[in-house]
Amino acid sequence: MKKFNPAKIIDHTNINPKATAKDIKKTCQEAKKYKFRSVCCNPEWVSLVHNELKGTGIKTVVLIDPPMGLSPHFKRVELCKKAKKEGADELDVVMNIIDMKYERYDDILKDLKEICKILPTKVIIGSGYLTDEEIKKASELVKKAGAFCVKTATEKDPLEHIELKEKARHLRIMKKAAPGLKIKAAGKIRTYKDLLMMVEAGADIIGTSSGVEIMKGYKRRRK
């Protein structure tokens, strides 16, 4: 593997529902210190994150409709448009997992195509809920919808509780199913070793709240 700075691929994440403005500002300060790719937050913090990161080149990313993407279409679009107005650079949108399980592919495409026109979009397919064939199909739908990235999971996906090796296997399915799309891995990626495993499996972007710990591990390895 070529040498690279992991900070450049980390979406430094704080989606804790109990987070305060002070907590979010701390996450932004960490992002500025290590020059992470972005800060990923819940919708209520977009404006604050955007203002904290102004002029740094670090993106503001907003998580939309976790954990299973079950809000009505109009509500999802409304949240995305509001996030754009408040300064978001990218959307991390959860695919409607129930629609996926029931093979309502036209509904999924209609929903995601409109969302993808609002801002550059990563679509979370909730791969821990899906079979291998469903992961493949979901990744194909994400590409067809016009997103730039397909993402494994969010905080309550069952994938959270499985081994990273299984997550890596899911990444390989996603990469093969949707050539040309970026792949984002998220959930329980806590160390530099974890990050390397995900990158080796095909991840282009890493979502984690452990960005600081990962960078400390990276710097120790370089000594």
Side-chain angles (χ1 to χ4, degrees):
M1 183 186 295
K2 292 181 180 179
K3 291 182 178 180
F4 71 105
N5 180 355
K8 300 299 182 184
I9 66 168
I10 290 176
D11 284 353
H12 192 43
T13 303
N14 189 335
I15 53 171
N16 186 336
K18 296 182 180 179
T20 64
K22 183 179 179 181
D23 297 328
I24 299 298
K25 286 181 179 180
K26 180 174 182 287
T27 299
C28 292
Q29 290 300 318
E30 291 168 347
K32 288 187 278 190
K33 177 179 178 180
Y34 291 98
K35 297 181 172 58
F36 290 130
R37 178 185 183 275
S38 79
V39 169
C40 183
C41 63
N42 286 319
E44 59 265 36
W45 299 116
V46 170
S47 206
L48 175 60
V49 171
H50 171 72
N51 289 331
E52 287 290 315
L53 299 178
K54 194 174 292 183
T56 65
I58 300 168
K59 298 177 187 293
T60 299
V61 178
V62 58
L63 174 63
I64 301 291
D65 206 18
M68 295 183 71
L70 301 184
S71 296
H73 171 67
F74 80 89
K75 182 64 175 177
R76 286 158 61 82
V77 170
E78 184 180 277
L79 283 169
C80 294
K81 288 182 175 178
K82 184 173 184 286
K84 179 180 180 179
K85 187 177 180 180
E86 292 180 352
D89 299 297
E90 290 177 2
L91 307 169
D92 275 25
V93 178
V94 184
M95 176 184 284
N96 186 311
I97 306 300
I98 301 302
D99 280 350
M100 186 65 222
K101 298 298 290 186
Y102 281 91
E103 301 182 4
R104 296 193 281 256
Y105 304 143
D106 288 344
D107 291 342
I108 290 170
L109 281 173
K110 181 181 177 182
D111 174 66
L112 292 178
K113 280 182 176 180
E114 187 171 352
I115 287 171
C116 289
K117 290 176 183 175
I118 298 169
L119 279 172
T121 301
K122 308 186 202 80
V123 178
I124 301 164
I125 63 173
S127 60
Y129 292 107
L130 307 180
T131 66
D132 287 2
E133 279 302 309
E134 288 168 341
I135 292 170
K136 179 177 180 289
K137 182 62 179 180
S139 301
E140 291 169 350
L141 290 170
V142 171
K143 184 173 182 178
K144 193 172 181 179
F148 80 93
C149 179
V150 56
K151 177 181 171 184
T152 55
T154 185
E155 79 274 17
K156 292 183 180 178
D157 189 302
L159 190 62
E160 294 288 305
H161 305 293
I162 66 174
E163 291 185 7
L164 286 179
K165 287 183 180 179
E166 180 70 358
K167 185 175 296 186
R169 192 178 68 80
H170 287 186
L171 291 174
R172 294 186 183 98
I173 296 171
M174 293 157 67
K175 195 82 171 179
K176 186 176 180 180
L181 284 195
K182 298 287 188 184
I183 308 292
K184 179 174 174 179
K188 299 296 187 288
I189 302 168
R190 292 171 173 159
T191 68
Y192 180 54
K193 184 179 178 181
D194 295 341
L195 179 143
L196 287 179
M197 185 189 297
M198 297 299 101
V199 171
E200 287 169 357
D204 302 289
I205 302 170
I206 302 295
T208 180
S209 58
S210 300
V212 173
E213 290 79 5
I214 288 170
M215 292 308 297
K216 287 178 179 177
Y218 166 68
K219 288 182 178 182
R220 283 196 297 269
R221 288 278 291 270
R222 293 185 70 197
K223 290 180 179 179

